[in-house]
């Protein structure tokens, strides 16, 4: 009986880890026969878990039921969820602070002491910064997430950076989180191209649908693609610099929403960023504190030369101050 119970818990954990499983995959993972998988599925159903059989594929899916069934979490998952709930309770996603607190209270009363200690340690060394920028609505996030998961077309009202509004129709692919902002990456059906949208600027229209066949994403590194889309591609001037510092050090100063970094060697990296202003690009890279070279666009190269000459002329006109001599002890 103990072995059967342990196997049921492992089966439940597998069903909770992804949307669809074939009977053969479950049998291989659990090292049992497909017939035993079918019996164990029936046991889970008897316990109230809504496990659906996929017709024609000999597969199974854990569906939504009338109530939320118990979740099985490993140690790292439990710590991650608790920290996310604490962060959400502090107001990083508007409107769910109180709900996050209630969920956190339920979770933490069930955690073993070793995990509570890990969470408390993380919390004591974490200092949240005040944030006054736009926050993503949790209902919008969940609507987009479901549309991405189930491959449903999504129509929404979208407010661009200049304040104008338009209706967009997309095949949503992924939600990308960048610091305090969420972005939707999807295929824009009107423009017939991949686009990124700020979630705090969109309002989904219901109902969603119809279903679509997911497209091959623009590139495997969706995080890097999104970073370039929001920091470089959308701007009039797209700049490329060489920073004479390794990419890990540069990443401490440059967020994915303002530029993308590509390592060259252990002492240098490439920075790609964009702006509608040549002055902004020149000042931005100058004030980072790294030695750098500017390569493109040509307008920026010439603009930096002009600024350098202007700054040099300004300092040449200033009287030099002589530092006092230091008199040491006799």
């Amino acid at each position: 009986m103990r072995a059967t119970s342990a196997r049921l818990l492992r089966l439940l954990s597998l069903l909770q880890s992804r949307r669809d499983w074939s009977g053969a995959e479950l049998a291989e993972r659990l090292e049992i026969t497909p017939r035993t998988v079918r019996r164990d599925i029936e046991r889970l159903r008897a316990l109230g878990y809504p496990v659906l059989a996929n017709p024609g594929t000999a597969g199974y899916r854990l569906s939504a039921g009338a109530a939320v069934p118990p979740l099985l979490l490993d140690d790292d998952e439990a710590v991650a969820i608790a920290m996310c709930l604490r962060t959400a309770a502090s107001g990083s996603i508007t409107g769910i602070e109180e709900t996050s607190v209630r969920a956190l209270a339920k979770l933490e009363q069930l955690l073993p002491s070793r995990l509570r200690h890990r969470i408390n340690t993380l919390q004591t060394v974490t200092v949240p910064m005040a944030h006054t920028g736009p926050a993503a609505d949790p209902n919008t996030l969940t609507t987009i997430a479901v549309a991405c998961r189930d491959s449903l077309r999504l129509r929404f009202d979208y407010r661009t950076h200049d304040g104008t509004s338009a209706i967009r129709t997309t095949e949503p692919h992924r939600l990308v989180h960048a610091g305090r902002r969420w972005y939707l990456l999807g295929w824009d059906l009107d423009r017939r191209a991949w686009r990124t949208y700020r979630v705090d600027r969109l309002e989904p229209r219901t109902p969603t649908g119809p279903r679509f066949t997911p497209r091959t994403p623009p590139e495997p590194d969706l995080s890097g693609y999104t970073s370039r889309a929001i920091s470089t591609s959308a701007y009039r001037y797209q700049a490329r610099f060489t920073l004479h510092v390794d990419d890990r050090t540069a990443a401490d100063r440059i967020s994915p929403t303002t530029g993308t970094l590509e390592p060259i060697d252990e002492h240098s990296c490439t920075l790609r960023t964009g702006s509608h202003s040549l002055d902004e690009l020149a000042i931005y890279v100058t004030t980072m504190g790294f030695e750098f070279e500017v390569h493109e666009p040509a307008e920026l190269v010439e603009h930096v030369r002009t600024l350098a000459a202007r700054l040099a002329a300004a300092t040449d006109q200033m009287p030099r101050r002589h530092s006092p001599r230091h008199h040491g002890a006799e």
Side-chain angles (χ1 to χ4, degrees), residues 83-94 96-98 100-101:
M83 289 302 296
C84 289
L85 286 172
R86 289 191 178 194
T87 301
S90 67
S92 62
I93 302 179
T94 185
I96 64 170
E97 296 89 346
E98 293 184 5
S100 300
V101 171

Side-chain angles (χ1 to χ4, degrees), residues 40-62:
D40 286 348
I41 291 293
E42 289 302 322
R43 292 188 177 101
L44 288 179
R45 288 170 176 162
L47 291 172
Y49 290 94
V51 183
L52 302 181
N54 298 326
T57 62
Y60 301 97
R61 172 188 301 176
L62 186 61

Side-chain angles (χ1 to χ4, degrees), residues 75 78 107-117:
D75 286 1
L107 176 62
E108 291 197 347
Q109 73 178 353
L110 300 176
L111 293 177
S113 59
R114 69 179 189 280
L115 296 186
R116 286 199 300 271
H117 177 71

Side-chain angles (χ1 to χ4, degrees), residues 143-200:
T143 298
I144 295 173
V146 170
C148 291
R149 184 196 66 189
D150 296 342
S151 300
L152 297 172
R153 285 187 181 179
L154 186 67
R155 297 178 71 242
F156 52 86
D157 296 291
Y158 191 70
R159 187 181 71 259
T160 61
H161 67 278
D162 60 4
T164 59
S165 297
I167 299 175
R168 298 282 191 263
T169 304
T170 65
E171 295 177 354
H173 185 71
R174 288 291 185 274
L175 277 168
V176 181
H177 187 222
R180 286 282 185 169
R181 288 179 179 169
W182 290 87
Y183 293 87
L184 166 64
L185 172 64
W187 177 264
D188 191 300
L189 291 170
D190 296 321
R191 292 163 177 75
R192 303 193 60 80
W194 290 96
R195 289 289 190 269
T196 55
Y197 310 91
R198 272 179 48 177
V199 173
D200 60 278

